[in-house]
Amino acid sequence: MIRRLQLLQRRLCEMANDLGNLTDPEIVAVSEEADRLIIQLQRLRKEEAENRKMANMYDVAVLSASQSTEEISKQSGAFLVKHS
């Protein structure tokens, strides 16, 4: 997708130089295609970030279930105070 977007950007520059009119229907069509690709890439990156976040939360939950509070606090550098 990134490669396709780069090709469209290059094509837009060439068309703008050749046609000299940024409102030409051909330029607008290529620009709209580039816009659609940009949106797809942004959605994919957002999904990847959300997936990483969920995986990290899962890892913390698994760690918490398998280790004592003291072990977790030592690993994370946390300072815990127990109330009696």
Side-chain angles (χ1 to χ4, degrees):
M1 260 195 254
I2 292 173
R3 180 77 177 125
R4 176 72 179 144
L5 181 58
Q6 291 169 337
L7 291 171
L8 287 172
Q9 289 171 330
R10 204 170 301 127
R11 185 171 172 210
L12 277 170
C13 288
E14 291 169 2
M15 290 173 72
N17 287 333
D18 293 343
L19 299 172
N21 180 4
L22 297 178
T23 59
D24 184 278
E26 289 181 58
I27 291 178
V28 172
V30 174
S31 179
E32 288 173 347
E33 185 178 350
D35 290 344
R36 284 190 294 275
L37 273 176
I38 290 168
I39 290 168
Q40 285 179 335
L41 283 167
Q42 288 174 333
R43 284 183 180 147
L44 282 174
R45 288 179 178 162
K46 182 181 176 188
E47 288 174 14
E48 288 171 356
E50 289 171 355
N51 288 341
R52 279 193 303 277
K53 183 178 178 181
M54 292 301 291
N56 289 339
M57 289 173 54
Y58 174 78
D59 290 345
V60 168
V62 168
L63 264 177
S64 297
S66 65
Q67 293 178 315
S68 71
T69 304
E70 186 177 320
E71 291 172 319
I72 294 169
S73 64
K74 284 180 184 176
Q75 287 179 353
S76 66
F79 179 73
L80 301 174
V81 177
K82 289 188 179 181
H83 293 280
S84 9

